[in-house]
Amino acid sequence: MDVTEKMIKPLTETRYLTAENVDRYRVIVRLFYEKYEKMKYWLYQEEVWNEMRVLPQFSFCTMEMCQQDLASLTAWGNLDTIQDTRHAGTIEEFKNKKYSYQLTQTAVEIERMIIRLENIQYEGFSLEPTLLERIAAAVSEIPEIAVMDPERVSGWWKNFQQDFKRLNQNYMDYMHELNSVKAENMMQTEAFMLFKDRMIEYLRSFIKSLQRVIPVIEKRLSELDRNALNQILESVVQYEKTIPRFEEVFDENQFRENINGQCATIEEAHRLSACVFGIEKPFHIKGNFARETDSINSGVYDEPAGMVTVQPRTKTFRGRSSRTIIYGISKYGTAAFGRTGII
């Protein structure tokens, strides 16, 4: 095992799960997580407090308590903060430092794990001899499976691997449960003494199944033509290559090769490609534009479009100039002078 610095350093992000005010901390983090799933990433202190005080269990919460809880979660690394100074109208308001808060990615992953733990269902583990029989039957099907189409072969191969994984997991989970403290306490009860004979018979039945099925599997594998197994593996690899991956779906060059063969003209292919990927070489214009709102949640589509005058960047281009009229007095009287002389 490689012991890294990241593995042995304290995980401060989990402190809120065992802190003194764990009930408030967990509710606040869950509130941020639910807003995160709705793509509302930033929350103000007032928004958190308003959500908390409507809950019957936390109707006693004050704004100061909410502020302290948010500060603690920020110090532990569960929240990121940014100071909102755009609405500060006075120096006093600026000093109060109005913050908006966002869950860190580590806190998101921790909350996801907690939700899975809250909904996990513990079931009794068992040793099923039927998995051994299914594996033996699958081994005997190899000659017939090898000549089938790649899709059927791939489905058979996945089921074959899942049976092996389930058998191994069931064995480890059963032995873990058998050696747990709960099982140790049950063994001291009178009810277990009555159940002991049935349990011993259950384990004997499973061992007998192992002794019966394992030699069958070994014999079938020894008689198996290696070419058939290689053909199955080649079919699985071939089928996996035909399944579009995420990167392949968004591979622009491959997509264009496909649509060029299906579109009637190159112009039609360009239009279809532009609809999927957008303009190939878009122009980006940036500047100090006046905004109608200072909200950080406002996007470019929420604000009106602006007009930008674009001029050619050539040496020969001269912009349109307007004449400036200057009134003066000469020996001939009042006259208006322009750039070219008397007007």
Side-chain angles (χ1 to χ4, degrees), residues 198-214:
R198 293 178 57 188
M199 183 176 179
I200 293 175
E201 183 62 28
Y202 173 77
L203 293 175
R204 283 177 178 172
S205 175
F206 180 75
I207 293 173
K208 288 179 181 179
S209 299
L210 282 176
Q211 295 173 342
R212 176 175 53 85
V213 178
I214 293 300

Side-chain angles (χ1 to χ4, degrees), residues 139-154:
V139 172
S140 63
E141 294 175 352
I142 290 179
E144 292 80 9
I145 292 293
V147 297
M148 293 184 178
D149 59 278
E151 185 176 358
R152 291 281 301 277
V153 175
S154 179

Side-chain angles (χ1 to χ4, degrees), residues 63-332:
M63 179 70 77
E64 290 73 17
M65 295 171 62
C66 181
Q67 184 178 6
Q68 293 174 2
D69 294 341
L70 293 174
S72 299
L73 291 171
T74 302
W76 293 331
N78 301 106
L79 296 176
D80 286 330
T81 62
I82 183 172
Q83 184 178 0
D84 187 6
T85 60
R86 289 165 298 184
H87 299 287
T90 63
I91 297 178
E92 189 65 27
E93 291 180 358
F94 181 82
K95 290 181 178 180
N96 289 333
K97 294 183 180 180
K98 183 178 181 181
Y99 291 103
S100 56
Y101 299 84
Q102 180 190 46
L103 270 186
T104 62
Q105 191 59 41
T106 303
V108 171
E109 296 299 328
I110 292 175
E111 197 64 19
R112 285 174 178 167
M113 179 193 68
I114 293 174
I115 293 175
R116 288 196 298 268
L117 292 176
E118 290 175 351
N119 297 300
I120 194 171
Q121 295 181 355
Y122 293 96
E123 299 178 354
F125 304 106
S126 61
L127 299 174
E128 291 294 337
T130 54
L131 285 175
L132 290 171
E133 297 173 359
R134 289 178 56 177
I135 292 172
V139 172
S140 63
E141 294 175 352
I142 290 179
E144 292 80 9
I145 292 293
V147 297
M148 293 184 178
D149 59 278
E151 185 176 358
R152 291 281 301 277
V153 175
S154 179
W156 174 89
W157 179 254
K158 289 180 179 179
N159 293 333
F160 190 49
Q161 287 183 314
Q162 287 176 359
D163 288 342
F164 264 112
K165 291 180 180 179
R166 285 182 56 193
L167 180 64
N168 188 42
Q169 290 174 357
N170 287 353
Y171 157 73
M172 291 188 295
D173 294 340
Y174 187 83
M175 295 304 297
H176 177 269
E177 187 178 29
L178 192 63
N179 289 276
S180 64
V181 176
K182 179 181 177 181
E184 186 70 23
N185 295 333
M186 289 178 58
M187 291 180 184
Q188 308 301 327
T189 63
E190 183 179 355
F192 178 79
M193 301 304 296
L194 300 175
F195 180 71
K196 181 176 66 173
D197 294 337
R198 293 178 57 188
M199 183 176 179
I200 293 175
E201 183 62 28
Y202 173 77
L203 293 175
R204 283 177 178 172
S205 175
F206 180 75
I207 293 173
K208 288 179 181 179
S209 299
L210 282 176
Q211 295 173 342
R212 176 175 53 85
V213 178
I214 293 300
V216 176
I217 296 177
E218 291 179 347
K219 181 180 178 181
R220 291 176 180 175
L221 288 175
S222 62
E223 297 174 350
L224 184 64
D225 184 8
R226 184 172 293 273
N227 293 329
L229 185 58
N230 292 335
Q231 188 174 354
I232 287 178
L233 296 177
E234 291 177 359
S235 297
V236 172
V237 173
Q238 179 183 355
Y239 178 73
E240 291 295 325
K241 289 182 178 179
T242 61
I243 300 176
R245 300 292 189 269
F246 178 83
E247 296 83 1
E248 295 173 356
V249 171
F250 290 92
D251 186 353
E252 182 175 353
N253 295 328
Q254 182 178 356
F255 180 81
R256 286 181 172 175
E257 290 177 2
N258 293 334
I259 64 176
N260 285 341
Q262 299 177 7
C263 297
T265 61
I266 188 64
E267 289 77 12
E268 184 179 349
H270 287 328
R271 287 195 296 269
L272 179 58
S273 177
C275 291
V276 177
F277 300 106
I279 303 174
E280 184 177 1
K281 296 180 180 179
F283 293 96
H284 299 278
I285 301 174
K286 60 181 179 179
N288 188 18
F289 302 106
R291 298 185 60 188
E292 293 187 356
T293 176
D294 293 330
S295 174
I296 61 175
N297 297 319
S298 175
V300 293
Y301 295 104
D302 300 327
E303 301 184 24
M307 300 297 294
V308 178
T309 303
V310 181
Q311 297 179 348
R313 299 179 61 182
T314 59
K315 295 181 180 180
T316 59
F317 173 77
R318 293 184 178 180
R320 180 179 299 177
S321 60
S322 58
R323 290 177 176 270
T324 302
I325 300 176
I326 302 175
Y327 294 92
I329 300 176
S330 67
K331 62 180 180 180
Y332 303 104

Side-chain angles (χ1 to χ4, degrees), residues 31-43 102 296-297:
L31 169 64
F32 273 94
Y33 182 78
E34 291 179 353
K35 297 295 184 181
Y36 173 88
E37 289 187 320
K38 298 177 182 178
M39 300 184 68
K40 182 175 176 56
Y41 304 118
W42 294 93
L43 293 176
Q102 180 190 46
I296 61 175
N297 297 319

